[in-house]
Amino acid sequence: MRFGGRLEDWFSGDNELIERYRFETSTKVINNPKVVSFDWLKSQKLDNVRKLLKDQLLRRFLEMKGNIYPDLIRVFYTNLKFEGNNLVSHVKGVDMKITHDVWTAVASLKYVGLRINKGNLGVVEDFNKVQYYKSCLKNQNAQVRTCSVGGLKLDERVLALIVTWILTPRGSNHFVLTEEDLVYIYCIIKKIKINWIHIIKEHMQKAMRLNDYHYPYVVLISKFLLYFEVNLEDESSELVKSTQEINNGSLSKMGFTKINGKWVSKEGDHGASSSVATADFDEEDQAADMDFNHEEQPETNLGVGTSAGNQGDEMSSMSSFERYMVNRLDGFAENQRNLHDLCEQLPEYRQQIQQHGYTVYDLG
């Protein structure tokens, strides 16, 4: 192992934690952080998005930059526990109890608003996944099979990018929006305050349980290390690069172009959605709902609607073999969802390829 005697320092000689790190968490992928500047949003006349995010008290969190410490981030997650409403970890001999006051000091987030998770999405009144998704499309008459990002209007498209890359980041499959993604976008646009501390903690818990999930919020955790004055001397670090910032290039890749200082769809304001399909709506409704039905699998292994704290207690009380089996089962369920989403996207990919003048041949 490349760590040598550093493991003793990182884990204060706790052999059980060292073994967990060696065999479970040392190879876990760290999420590639993204950043969005509110000054950039203003310069691009995305004033509505900027105001909506400010109303959610997200500016400081979304603009976070600086050094990240990959090894110590893995140490943080290896030791992470959920005690009541607090996060508790231990890094290099320093006890880190992340209370509501710490969240406010580091990220200007407050423990207020709706505490949304997979088990209680019904707390958001008048929300219907398929109906709301259709209202977000540039072409609202389009028939849809999946809730993909391709046909979204500008504001909703930018918010989808921020939700899936920064607020609840995942390592892959940013093309399809889950029901949770759409609930967050709905609440932001409707100015319904969300408890983002709760959301972040739940997402951390999910990343700890699922092998295929990357460790998220690496800049935030690095700020926690600084706040608690963990000795960072001689630790490997990486700087968040300008290429990780959401910028004009991001909007261009999403299918928008700038005309007379305003971003518009390359297809026109009412261009055809990339989600067009030929199925009847009842079938599309069922297909669109399937992706979050598949997503319920990971949660049911530990109890739907269970709080992050209770899940953390249950996981910490398991043996290494039990944790391994739970993670494997959760990972299998997550892979099922990803495979389903990929299959649902194939007709859209085929259509996009044909639109560029290429011929697609059916095999077999």
Side-chain angles (χ1 to χ4, degrees), residues 116-360:
I116 305 169
N117 55 38
K118 190 184 299 295
N120 72 343
L121 295 176
V123 300
V124 182
E125 296 180 358
D126 301 324
F127 174 81
N128 176 281
K129 177 185 177 181
V130 176
Q131 289 179 6
Y132 180 66
Y133 172 72
K134 287 177 69 71
S135 75
C136 295
L137 293 174
K138 290 175 287 187
N139 177 10
Q140 295 184 16
N141 294 319
Q143 295 179 326
V144 298
R145 286 187 58 83
T146 60
C147 297
S148 66
V149 299
L152 297 180
K153 293 178 285 187
L154 178 61
D155 285 0
E156 286 82 354
R157 185 69 175 87
V158 173
L159 289 174
L161 181 68
I162 291 171
V163 165
T164 59
W165 280 96
I166 308 180
L167 292 173
T168 54
R170 48 187 180 253
S172 61
N173 197 12
H174 299 85
F175 189 76
V176 174
L177 296 174
T178 66
E179 184 178 29
E180 291 168 282
D181 298 331
L182 287 165
V183 166
Y184 300 146
I185 295 168
Y186 175 89
C187 288
I188 291 172
I189 289 178
K190 298 293 184 181
K191 300 182 179 181
I192 301 170
K193 186 70 181 73
I194 296 175
N195 189 323
W196 291 107
I197 295 177
H198 175 81
I199 300 298
I200 292 169
K201 290 193 299 183
E202 289 282 327
H203 200 63
M204 284 181 170
Q205 178 71 33
K206 189 174 185 179
M208 290 170 66
R209 290 190 295 104
L210 298 177
N211 288 334
D212 292 342
Y213 262 59
H214 298 179
Y215 279 148
Y217 310 119
V218 295
V219 179
L220 173 66
I221 292 170
S222 297
K223 299 295 184 185
F224 286 149
L225 296 174
L226 289 168
Y227 179 88
F228 286 97
E229 299 181 348
V230 175
N231 182 7
L232 303 175
E233 187 176 353
D234 297 327
E235 297 293 346
S236 62
S237 65
E238 301 172 7
L239 185 66
V240 176
K241 305 177 183 66
S242 59
T243 54
Q244 292 165 297
E245 296 184 31
I246 297 173
N247 53 30
N248 291 18
S250 306
L251 296 182
S252 181
K253 290 177 182 177
M254 291 189 295
F256 296 92
T257 186
K258 203 171 187 179
I259 299 177
N260 297 325
K262 181 181 179 181
W263 288 97
V264 297
S265 171
K266 292 177 182 178
E267 301 168 334
D269 288 340
H270 301 287
S273 167
S274 62
S275 299
V276 172
T278 58
D280 293 330
F281 182 76
D282 287 343
E283 295 177 1
E284 295 150 7
D285 191 358
Q286 183 180 8
D289 285 343
M290 281 180 67
D291 57 330
F292 70 81
N293 287 335
H294 276 274
E295 278 197 319
E296 291 298 330
Q297 288 283 350
E299 295 298 331
T300 54
N301 288 314
L302 292 177
V304 175
T306 305
S307 68
N310 291 336
Q311 290 177 358
D313 293 341
E314 191 165 347
M315 285 293 285
S316 63
S317 66
M318 293 179 181
S319 67
S320 297
F321 176 74
E322 288 173 325
R323 284 200 305 272
Y324 171 79
M325 290 305 298
V326 169
N327 288 337
R328 291 285 292 178
L329 290 170
D330 284 351
F332 176 75
E334 188 70 13
N335 287 337
Q336 274 191 315
R337 183 186 71 82
N338 290 336
L339 180 61
H340 170 268
D341 289 344
L342 178 61
C343 291
E344 290 290 335
Q345 294 166 30
L346 289 178
E348 296 175 25
Y349 292 149
R350 181 189 181 105
Q351 184 182 36
Q352 291 172 9
I353 292 171
Q354 291 173 332
Q355 286 175 347
H356 285 83
Y358 295 97
T359 302
V360 180

Side-chain angles (χ1 to χ4, degrees), residues 3 30 39 45 49 57 81 86 107 121-123 147 162 257 271 285 287 364:
F3 308 111
I30 286 179
D39 288 340
K45 296 182 172 57
V49 173
L57 306 178
K81 297 179 181 178
N86 301 322
L121 295 176
V123 300
C147 297
I162 291 171
T257 186
D285 191 358

